[in-house]
Amino acid sequence: MSYSVGQVAGFAGVTVRTLHHYDGIGLLVPSERSHAGHRRYSDADLDRLQQILFYRELGFPLDEVAVLLDDPAADPRAHLRRQHELLTARIERLQKMAAAVEHAMEARSMGINLTPEEKFEVFGDFDPDQYQEEVRERWGDTDAYRQSRERTASYTKEDWQRVQREADELTRRFVALMEAGEPAGSEAAMDAAEEHRQGISRNHYDCGYEMHTCLGEMYVSDERFTRNLDQARPGFAAYLRDAILANAARHSS
C-alpha cells in the first residue's frame, strides 16, 4: 500500500512543502511514483519519516539526521536504543529544570542574594529571580512574604545549599515511610510533617499549622508542585499533604 504526499503530510503533521524539501535533499525519497509522476510513499518511507521527525524534535540538523539514518552499521534496534538513550537524557534534564522552577515557585528565591554564578550552581539552569513577579503577586501582601524576604536577603550560597540538603533529606525520609507502608496519619509521618513545618519556620517564615495546611493543599491543587514532588515517588504530594493535615489535627486537639 502506498500513500500520497497529502496523506503523509496529514499523518505526520508536517507540510507538503516539508516533504518536498526532504525529497529534494535526498533525506526522504518516495519509493514510488504514480503514472502521473506524483510521489507515493510506502510503509517503509513512513517509518523513515518517523525517525526523521524524532531526531528533528531533539534538535538534530538534517544533515546529521541523514548520517544517522544511513549508517550501514545501524539496524532498527540500534536506532531504538539510540532514541531511548536520547529520550532518557532529555527527560532527566527536563526533570531537573522542573525541579528548579518549583523550588523557585516555592518562594525559596525571595530575597536571594547570590551572584549569577552562585545562582547557577545552586539552582541549575533556571534563574529563580524570573519567578519573583508571580511570587509577589500571590503572596506579596502577606506577612510571610515580607518575613521571608527579610530573612533570606542575607543568605549565602552555602545557606541555600544547606536548605536544599535539609529538604532532600526530609523527602528521602518521607519516601522511605511510603515504601514501608506507613500511613500518612502514622506517628512517624506526622513527625516528619512537623519537621517540614519547622524547617519552613526556621529557614523562611513563621509557619503555623493553619499556614502549613494551606501549603499542603497547594502541593496537590497546583499541578506544578504536584509534578515536582511526585518526581521523588508517585503519590508523594498527596502523602505529604495528608501527613501535614494529620499533624495539624494532632496539634489542635
Side-chain angles (χ1 to χ4, degrees):
M1 185 172 181
S2 63
Y3 308 90
S4 70
V5 65
Q7 288 176 311
V8 174
F11 296 157
V14 298
T15 64
V16 170
R17 183 176 180 179
T18 294
L19 294 174
H20 287 175
H21 177 60
Y22 289 172
D23 184 8
I25 63 176
L27 182 60
L28 180 64
V29 179
S31 299
E32 305 172 21
R33 294 274 179 170
S34 68
H35 293 301
H38 298 144
R39 297 170 175 85
R40 302 293 300 181
Y41 292 83
S42 67
D43 289 339
D45 295 332
L46 295 183
D47 288 341
R48 182 177 175 91
L49 176 59
Q50 188 178 48
Q51 301 283 345
I52 292 169
L53 296 178
F54 173 83
Y55 286 118
R56 288 293 291 145
E57 175 67 21
L58 291 179
F60 282 73
L62 290 179
D63 55 350
E64 291 186 22
V65 174
V67 172
L68 287 169
L69 296 183
D70 296 329
D71 181 359
D75 59 21
R77 287 175 298 178
H79 281 300
L80 289 174
R81 284 194 297 270
R82 182 184 291 121
Q83 290 177 350
H84 185 270
E85 292 169 358
L86 292 169
L87 282 173
T88 299
R90 188 176 189 183
I91 288 170
E92 290 177 354
R93 174 174 170 77
L94 289 174
Q95 287 177 334
K96 290 178 181 178
M97 291 165 65
V101 171
E102 301 310 332
H103 290 326
M105 294 305 303
E106 217 167 3
R108 290 179 181 174
S109 62
M110 293 189 299
I112 190 169
N113 185 27
L114 301 178
T115 68
E117 293 79 8
E118 289 172 331
K119 288 178 185 177
F120 188 90
E121 182 178 347
V122 174
F123 292 100
D125 294 347
F126 280 88
D127 180 1
D129 288 345
Q130 66 181 298
Y131 300 96
Q132 191 71 272
E133 186 60 33
E134 181 173 348
V135 171
R136 187 180 297 110
E137 288 179 0
R138 295 180 68 174
W139 299 301
D141 60 348
T142 65
D143 291 337
Y145 176 86
R146 289 187 287 272
Q147 188 178 33
S148 183
R149 282 188 62 84
E150 292 173 0
R151 186 172 297 178
T152 61
S154 61
Y155 276 15
T156 65
K157 177 184 69 175
E158 289 72 23
D159 290 325
W160 287 105
Q161 289 176 328
R162 172 187 55 77
V163 171
Q164 187 59 56
R165 283 195 303 271
E166 291 176 3
D168 290 343
E169 177 56 36
L170 191 55
T171 295
R172 287 191 290 269
R173 182 172 161 189
F174 271 114
V175 169
L177 291 172
M178 293 177 69
E179 293 177 344
E182 286 281 351
S186 67
E187 289 292 324
M190 288 190 292
D191 288 346
E194 176 63 16
E195 186 170 328
H196 181 271
R197 186 190 69 82
Q198 292 178 6
I200 295 173
S201 296
R202 182 172 58 253
N203 295 316
H204 300 288
Y205 53 85
D206 295 338
C207 183
Y209 293 103
E210 183 177 358
M211 172 73 77
H212 201 210
T213 59
C214 290
L215 288 175
E217 294 293 354
M218 183 179 66
Y219 294 154
V220 176
S221 63
D222 189 322
E223 64 179 8
R224 293 171 299 181
F225 286 104
T226 304
R227 185 168 55 249
N228 180 52
L229 290 168
D230 282 359
Q231 288 181 40
R233 191 179 191 276
F236 173 46
Y239 185 88
L240 175 58
R241 185 272 312 274
D242 292 345
I244 288 172
L245 296 181
N247 181 58
R250 174 176 64 168
H251 284 85
S252 67
S253 58

